[in-house]
Amino acid sequence: MDNPGKFYITTPIYYVNARPHIGHTYTTIACDAIARRQRMLGVDTWFLTGTDEHGQKIERSAAAAGCTPREFADRISGEFRALWDRMGVTYDDFIRTTEPRHARGVQALFARLQERGYIYKGSYSGQYCVFDELYVDAAEPGAPCPECGRPTETVHEENYFFKLSAMQERLLKYYGEHPDFIRPETRRNEVVSFVRGGLRDLSVSRTSFKWGIPVPNDPKHVIYVWLDALANYMTALGFGSDDPKDRARLARYWPADVHMIGKEIVRFHCVYWPAFLMAADLPLPKSIIAHGWLLFEESKMSKSRGNIVRSETILDTLGQDALRYFLLREIVFGQDGSFSFDALVQRFNSDLANGIGNLASRTLSMIARYFGGEVPYPSASERAPADEAIGALAQQTITDFHAQFEQFQFSRALETAWSLVAAVNKYIVENEPWSVAERDDQDSRARLATILYTSAEALRVVTALVHPVIPEATAKIWTQLGLGEIRQMDLRELAWGQLQLGTRLGAVEAVFPRADKSMVERMQQMEQQRSAEITKTDETKAAAATQAETAPALADSSGGGVVEKITIDDFLKVELRVGQIKVAEKVKGADKLLRMEVDIGTEVRQIVAGIAKAYEPEKLVGRKVVIVANLQPRKLRGLESNGMIVAASLGDDGLPVLAGFLEDIPVGAKLK
Ligand code: ME8
């Protein structure tokens, strides 16, 4: 199944447990730039993005926010979509894993793997990382997850397993025969050595939570989130559907040409996904391209680290082109790169305002002033080597830019394009068209025409090339050049000398007004303000949820009702601390109660709590929890309880969900 003349590209589907930040934007705009360019090359292109909405992580985030997983997913998925729409991302489809079309396709894939004998039932006892949805073999209770360092939880589950171990040789053979399957090379090498190290069968179902797609004919199990998520690339096209339109779309676009991902999800995409597809006898994607991380304040930008920058701040100030250009120009694709507001503003001023912006405004306004807004004829006689040099450089730029872009070397491609911008700006300065215009003889007029034609033609070439990266400004420049809709432009035909003589320019206006020094500070303030607002809203929601619902979960119900406001001093009277459960056991004769021994840093306390319906005692050992440490002791079933464990309480039955942290927090740490 290889369909020439089509191009299918995907972003990862983003988790809805966190709002979008510029890390997500980075992947999305890289794909958008590629998709836009493919369309300009006349290729039938399909660009997919979407959101990943199942799993325990989402279930818990929703509980913390005091809403159902569905409501939570709707809200955050909506934010991703709204952001891409605001940025003019040209996705053709947006898949949500909670859509029926996806569930149907995932179940079809699962059933297909079962039919082919690649899925069997087994059981797992051991440690599990909720954050990465990962089983951690051979680890002690509470041991940190090898991927993210967060404490693991003990689970005992009956699961369906996928025979990943049977795929080792086939995968290695495939990597060997398809050197471009995983890029860049460093990632490919890591994957190959991981697979060479041996593969264990993979658990592909869960019974510990409900928020997922049920296993066909065994709904006690939900399908493992990564099998669910990876399948999106096919279910969005119509896999699992009988509708002829869906089938045709799937046949047209699958296999994907490019799955673009961040480097932390390479294993899922380059080992599990191809293994599932091979086992299901379906064609494999042609390439998986892993980029590096966007760092902020020296570590990976991510919600759990709290070091994020939102795209909105940049969109509200410098605009989408600035963000798009910065990310693709500043970061060497494949490597990690840092974001800073300083660097953003510097790039904006040097490359956009002073670079292409200045080239456009000076060229176009001189044509308006000296030639009444019509592209002048370059003179045959009044040519200088400098004019020829610009033409030759532009032609070379077209060739190099294409080659570099094809290799995902966005930064180099943009550098190439901007060398042309710099060369033309220099050419204008050296040839002083404004001085030539002052001389009122025919030769000077012809010379002026040549200089301005050359500049305008170079501007046209560069504008067409970089349109996929800075779509807004280039569309404006294109109209100002009198060329109409830039999207109609056929990039295959781009060559020097095509600007029609006499073309009437549109109204000329600046596309990138310079940013002044205060811009950095303004953006930083906006970011801080936004964080504070978001934290406040989230906290209010979470607090409302806990206040309204926690009390019943902790045995002695207060009956809910209107929550009175308290002062900060009231709040500070409550001593909240991080504790670690060392011992947990059922209390005889009380089916709701557990007796626990909890280390709170300074001592080990006995705490009795009404959480037995939701947690099995052995699964709690090693878990870190939040304790109200200065509560007066009280007796429950004759046992002294010296503190209270903080939990949310869900639904009418008041099902408790323990408060916890995504980060690894030291025992005894105070909360305030
Ligand atoms: O992993 N730098 O979703 P996710 C660069 N749902 N890219 C970043 C980034 C950063 N600091 N932060 C996020 C998931 N990204 C799964 C994917 S796919 C079948 C399932 C980008 O919300 C990057 O593309 O954690 C990364 O791989 C992706 O967002 C992770 O998004």
Side-chain angles (χ1 to χ4, degrees):
M1 232 206 288
D2 193 15
N3 307 324
K6 69 90 193 176
F7 185 82
Y8 176 35
I9 183 164
T10 65
T11 71
I13 45 170
Y14 304 112
Y15 282 131
V16 292
N17 67 328
R19 295 191 163 85
H21 57 69
I22 61 171
H24 305 110
T25 301
Y26 179 47
T27 320
T28 304
I29 57 113
C31 290
D32 190 46
I34 297 171
R36 283 173 180 268
R37 181 168 165 279
Q38 287 294 328
R39 292 190 196 100
M40 286 176 84
L41 289 167
V43 179
D44 172 10
T45 300
W46 195 259
F47 170 19
L48 174 72
T49 188
T51 42
D52 188 356
E53 308 187 6
H54 287 133
Q56 195 162 14
K57 192 161 43 168
I58 315 282
E59 200 176 65
R60 288 190 180 173
S61 298
C67 57
T68 63
R70 163 88 46 193
E71 286 163 351
F72 191 79
D74 284 350
R75 174 150 54 93
I76 308 283
S77 176
E79 285 190 29
F80 273 99
R81 197 168 183 149
L83 176 62
W84 306 149
D85 289 342
R86 176 169 180 200
M87 290 191 67
V89 172
T90 60
Y91 60 85
D92 293 286
D93 193 1
F94 186 103
I95 179 106
R96 298 185 55 187
T97 56
T98 47
E99 288 176 72
R101 60 169 173 157
H102 177 69
R104 182 184 56 201
V106 171
Q107 289 183 326
L109 179 61
F110 196 96
R112 197 172 158 120
L113 292 169
Q114 266 177 324
E115 274 157 33
R116 287 172 161 68
Y118 282 96
I119 284 182
Y120 65 93
K121 224 172 188 178
S123 68
Y124 176 87
S125 275
Q127 295 309 113
Y128 183 64
C129 172
V130 174
F131 189 83
D132 288 312
E133 311 275 6
L134 190 78
Y135 285 98
V136 182
D137 295 316
E140 296 292 311
C145 164
E147 293 288 323
C148 69
R150 292 174 178 84
T152 52
E153 295 180 14
T154 311
V155 294
H156 306 280
E157 279 192 350
E158 184 192 59
N159 290 137
Y160 286 93
F161 283 83
F162 171 72
K163 284 189 187 164
L164 187 62
S165 57
M167 309 309 288
Q168 183 176 356
E169 288 314 314
R170 279 179 73 183
L171 283 168
L172 288 172
K173 184 161 179 275
Y174 193 86
Y175 303 144
E177 286 168 0
H178 299 83
D180 279 346
F181 181 56
I182 303 166
R183 277 181 282 174
E185 186 80 20
T186 43
R187 302 285 160 242
R188 181 174 184 275
N189 296 341
E190 281 166 16
V191 170
V192 170
S193 71
F194 173 79
V195 175
R196 277 213 187 106
L199 296 174
R200 299 167 66 115
D201 288 355
L202 182 71
S203 154
V204 286
S205 76
R206 299 286 183 270
T207 50
S208 50
F209 62 93
K210 287 261 155 292
W211 183 239
I213 299 173
V215 165
N217 304 317
D218 196 356
K220 199 162 69 96
H221 293 257
V222 294
I223 295 173
Y224 172 47
V225 276
W226 274 100
L227 174 53
D228 166 342
L230 289 161
N232 92 87
Y233 301 131
M234 289 188 82
T235 62
L237 292 179
F239 181 80
S241 163
D242 294 330
D243 186 323
K245 264 207 266 166
D246 292 336
R247 284 168 167 270
R249 195 186 314 104
L250 182 68
R252 171 84 190 125
Y253 292 111
W254 190 257
D257 293 81
V258 172
H259 287 322
M260 179 78 74
I261 58 169
K263 67 180 181 185
E264 79 290 352
I265 51 178
V266 161
R267 190 192 310 167
F268 301 101
H269 283 80
C270 304
V271 182
Y272 298 174
W273 181 226
F276 295 149
L277 292 170
M278 279 174 175
D281 205 13
L282 292 164
L284 268 54
K286 290 188 197 151
S287 63
I288 296 153
I289 312 294
H291 61 66
W293 285 339
L294 197 56
L295 312 176
F296 187 55
E297 292 160 352
E298 276 150 40
S299 59
K300 183 189 176 211
M301 193 177 289
S302 75
K303 184 191 165 182
S304 53
R305 285 194 182 83
N307 62 340
I308 59 169
V309 173
R310 288 161 193 84
S311 305
E312 288 82 348
T313 299
I314 301 160
L315 301 183
D316 288 345
T317 47
L318 298 177
Q320 58 151 304
D321 283 347
L323 178 56
R324 286 170 179 262
Y325 178 77
F326 178 82
L327 293 176
L328 293 187
R329 172 66 185 85
E330 190 79 8
I331 296 158
V332 176
F333 203 74
Q335 297 176 15
D336 292 350
S338 287
F339 176 86
S340 80
F341 288 112
D342 270 320
L344 171 69
V345 171
Q346 246 178 51
R347 275 265 173 232
F348 179 84
N349 280 337
S350 67
D351 295 10
L352 298 179
N354 293 348
I356 193 167
N358 189 26
L359 172 62
S361 65
R362 71 200 326 190
T363 304
L364 298 172
S365 57
M366 280 192 282
I367 294 178
R369 187 172 334 137
Y370 303 131
F371 292 96
E374 270 180 24
V375 173
Y377 284 50
S379 149
S381 57
E382 290 303 319
R383 289 216 174 185
D387 314 329
E388 306 293 346
I390 292 291
L393 180 64
Q395 201 57 55
Q396 190 59 45
T397 300
I398 297 172
T399 312
D400 294 348
F401 184 92
H402 281 315
Q404 289 155 349
F405 206 101
E406 291 284 328
Q407 289 304 312
F408 306 98
Q409 297 173 345
F410 306 118
S411 178
R412 281 189 66 190
L414 292 171
E415 204 181 335
T416 300
W418 260 259
S419 304
L420 177 61
V421 171
V424 187
N425 272 331
K426 184 160 172 259
Y427 162 87
I428 294 174
V429 170
E430 286 174 356
N431 286 277
E432 297 184 354
W434 43 88
S435 310
V436 181
E438 278 171 15
R439 296 194 287 272
D440 207 9
D441 57 281
Q442 224 177 0
D443 288 353
S444 299
R445 185 88 185 141
R447 181 77 202 121
L448 182 62
T450 303
I451 300 167
L452 292 182
Y453 179 88
T454 306
S455 309
E457 175 57 352
L459 174 65
R460 186 188 70 90
V461 166
V462 103
T463 302
L465 286 176
V466 304
H467 173 63
V469 178
I470 48 170
E472 258 188 347
T474 46
K476 285 187 196 153
I477 297 174
W478 204 252
T479 322
Q480 293 183 26
L481 273 165
L483 300 172
E485 264 274 346
I486 194 165
R487 281 205 200 186
Q488 312 288 331
M489 144 97 222
D490 188 340
L491 210 46
R492 284 169 296 189
E493 296 185 346
L494 182 66
W496 181 257
Q498 292 164 329
L499 182 59
Q500 295 291 317
L501 313 178
T503 304
R504 234 218 99 84
L505 300 188
V508 178
E509 52 165 321
V511 282
F512 290 118
R514 257 188 87 80
D516 67 29
K517 279 195 187 129
S518 65
M519 184 60 91
V520 171
E521 215 173 300
R522 219 173 108 207
M523 286 194 288
Q524 279 163 342
Q525 276 171 0
M526 285 169 76
E527 231 352 84
Q528 274 167 9
Q529 217 171 353
R530 219 171 226 140
S531 294
E533 276 165 21
I534 287 175
T535 315
K536 218 166 113 195
T537 333
D538 284 352
E539 277 170 4
T540 316
K541 280 193 188 126
T546 338
Q547 273 177 334
E549 296 173 346
T550 306
L554 296 167
D556 55 347
S557 162
S558 70
V562 179
V563 180
E564 265 184 49
K565 295 233 161 62
I566 59 166
T567 65
I568 185 77
D569 292 336
D570 289 333
F571 174 73
L572 288 176
K573 286 184 198 153
V574 183
E575 188 190 340
L576 294 169
R577 282 193 185 274
V578 175
Q580 186 168 35
I581 301 175
K582 295 292 177 193
V583 174
E585 59 192 24
K586 291 208 161 130
V587 175
K588 271 200 191 127
D591 57 356
K592 270 194 178 174
L593 294 183
L594 289 185
R595 185 191 81 84
M596 285 163 283
E597 288 172 26
V598 184
D599 181 357
I600 61 163
T602 47
E603 61 186 300
V604 176
R605 297 268 188 96
Q606 171 168 288
I607 298 180
V608 182
I611 56 172
K613 286 250 154 99
Y615 293 93
E616 285 169 29
E618 55 274 21
K619 290 192 183 169
L620 287 173
V621 175
R623 179 150 174 175
K624 288 187 180 158
V625 287
V626 177
I627 303 295
V628 182
N630 59 343
L631 204 64
Q632 287 204 341
R634 58 179 179 160
K635 282 210 164 164
L636 289 161
R637 298 268 169 166
L639 294 168
E640 183 170 281
S641 181
N642 212 335
M644 186 175 100
I645 298 191
V646 178
S649 165
L650 304 183
D652 295 338
D653 320 333
L655 187 77
V657 178
L658 294 176
F661 297 91
L662 293 176
E663 290 80 6
D664 194 15
I665 308 281
V667 169
K670 237 181 134 175
L671 281 82
K672 49 184 184 174

